[in-house]
Amino acid sequence: MSVAERTPEVSVDAAVTTASIRTAIAPVLERLRETSARRDIDRTHPFAEVRSLAEAGILRYRVPQEDGGAGATVRELIELVVDIAAADSNVAQALRPGFLVADGLATGTLTGAKRERTLSRVLAGDLFAGTRNEATGTPGSVSTRLTRDGSAFRVTGEKFYSTGGLHARWFSGNAVDDDGGVVTFTVPTDSEGVGLIDDFDAVGQRLTASGTTRLDGVLVDPDEVDPFKAQPPHPHGSLAHLFLAATLAGIAGAAQHDAVRVVRGVTRPIKHSTAGRSADDPYVRLAVGRIATAAFTARAQVALAAEQLDAYWREPSEAGGLRATIAVAEAYVGAGEQALAAGELLFDVGGGTLTRREHNLDRHWRNARTVANHNPRGWKAAAVGGWLVADEPPPANGLF
């Protein structure tokens, strides 16, 4: 188990821009890209690299400039996520909870003292994790309990899919209080009684730190407890799903990078090829071109969906919210299909040598398959169809 240490304060006067953050993280992303295949085999979490991203102000990317952030648009944020995922899709997903927390500072969905606390933590370089998911009981049920302890509370329970938990300073979840109501809570991950378990064992995305969080009588500050809020209207929950689509687009980009790399330096043409080297084989070129097209298409889809979210936040309306929600659903379906295709086509650029474990090229397809399974694409595609042919809006359940 690894618990993130408290990070030093970062002054609001330390001005950042989208360009300065991009420059600061570029060498970190290159290290992630170079080591991703080996780390996936060894199950080695990139703790140092994620900490470097946090210290570079990665979560300040979309925070308003007047609050000490870079003031990025949703499209700029999503393109950043694609690039992080192209280096290591596990890291992109591990940062997802933190980016979603920070987005509340940009959209105005965080207010008052909670906004001030969150802003202070983001500026200090803290990372966040959280989930409402539990591995037992019926879907959506809550067995975690929050009980009164003098002037404070204690929380006991077990949460699963705690994405980014091993890197985070703060963990948030939901629980049932003494009155039987559902509340949300936030605790430091280094609190006594918090256990961060690295037990996520999916076929892909194994290093997203998405395992179990155990809470054994963890002390909770009353200021960190809030009543559970009803699901907000479209598209308030859509960024979470566009983030997954951007991760899929990044996986397609990673497949393209590896396709070019292995053709230039690893593979040889087959015996009956008309080319003297793989890079000149027309069918190898065809395969690389198709992979590149998949990566380009996926990136374009998520970028256009992000623009719909930007349009909504500039001028919120019910119609704009539905347009953005549908666009995100389309991007999720499309990026998933492109990433899966790119991961499979990667093996068409060479022969049996590429299937050796030392190359670990199957991780791209495994990662895409795992991300695409978080929300079934069939439901999203059917919701898009229902909107187009019957004017039926997608469910307002936080999954669109």
Side-chain angles (χ1 to χ4, degrees), residues 46-337:
F47 290 115
E49 288 80 3
V50 172
R51 177 44 38 202
S52 293
L53 293 175
E55 292 175 353
I58 194 79
L59 294 192
R60 298 168 71 177
Y61 204 68
R62 189 159 142 71
V63 173
Q65 292 178 331
E66 59 268 25
D67 289 320
T73 63
V74 177
R75 173 163 180 167
E76 288 172 325
L77 172 64
I78 287 303
E79 296 219 59
L80 173 69
V81 174
V82 174
D83 291 338
I84 297 171
D88 189 327
S89 61
N90 292 274
V91 172
Q93 193 170 348
L95 292 172
R96 176 176 176 248
F99 275 119
L100 295 177
V101 168
D103 193 67
L105 300 168
T107 61
T109 52
L110 287 175
T111 59
K114 188 170 185 178
R115 186 184 195 279
E116 293 306 310
R117 286 196 304 273
T118 301
L119 177 60
S120 176
R121 292 164 184 174
V122 169
L123 294 180
D126 289 355
L127 296 178
F128 303 79
T131 183
R132 298 173 185 170
N133 293 305
E134 299 186 359
T136 59
T138 59
S141 64
V142 182
S143 61
T144 302
R145 292 292 182 267
L146 184 85
T147 57
R148 173 71 67 174
D149 184 3
S151 61
F153 297 92
R154 291 193 180 273
V155 63
T156 298
E158 193 170 283
K159 298 292 186 180
F160 197 50
Y161 294 125
S162 307
T163 302
L166 299 180
H167 302 286
R169 165 65 179 164
W170 302 95
F171 177 83
S172 299
N174 60 345
V176 176
D177 65 13
D178 291 333
D179 297 324
V182 178
V183 298
T184 60
F185 65 88
T186 298
V187 295
T189 55
D190 59 359
S191 296
E192 183 179 356
V194 175
L196 304 174
I197 316 302
D198 185 19
D199 59 352
F200 186 65
D201 62 350
V203 297
Q205 295 294 94
R206 295 167 176 167
L207 300 179
T208 57
S210 296
T212 299
T213 298
R214 290 177 182 161
L215 305 156
D216 186 9
V218 179
L219 191 66
V220 184
D221 188 314
D223 290 339
E224 303 284 5
V225 177
D226 295 291
F228 182 78
K229 294 181 180 179
Q231 184 62 42
H234 298 306
H236 284 240
S238 293
L239 182 62
H241 306 285
L242 185 57
F243 205 102
L244 293 175
T247 302
L248 287 162
I251 292 171
Q256 176 185 331
H257 177 272
D258 272 354
V260 172
R261 178 180 61 80
V262 299
V263 168
R264 286 181 175 271
V266 177
T267 60
R268 296 177 296 175
I270 59 175
K271 293 178 181 179
H272 54 274
S273 174
T274 57
R277 59 178 191 149
S278 288
D280 295 328
D281 187 300
Y283 293 102
V284 169
R285 290 183 174 188
L286 173 64
V288 173
R290 292 175 68 189
I291 294 168
T293 299
F296 179 86
T297 301
R299 189 180 190 112
Q301 287 172 317
V302 298
L304 288 174
E307 288 186 357
Q308 290 292 331
L309 282 174
D310 277 324
Y312 172 81
W313 288 114
R314 282 194 302 269
E315 190 174 345
S317 68
E318 182 179 358
L322 284 169
R323 281 196 298 271
T325 303
I326 291 295
V328 170
E330 291 172 324
Y332 184 93
V333 173
E337 292 176 348

Side-chain angles (χ1 to χ4, degrees), residues 10-16 60 68:
V10 176
S11 172
V12 177
D13 295 332
V16 298
R60 298 168 71 177

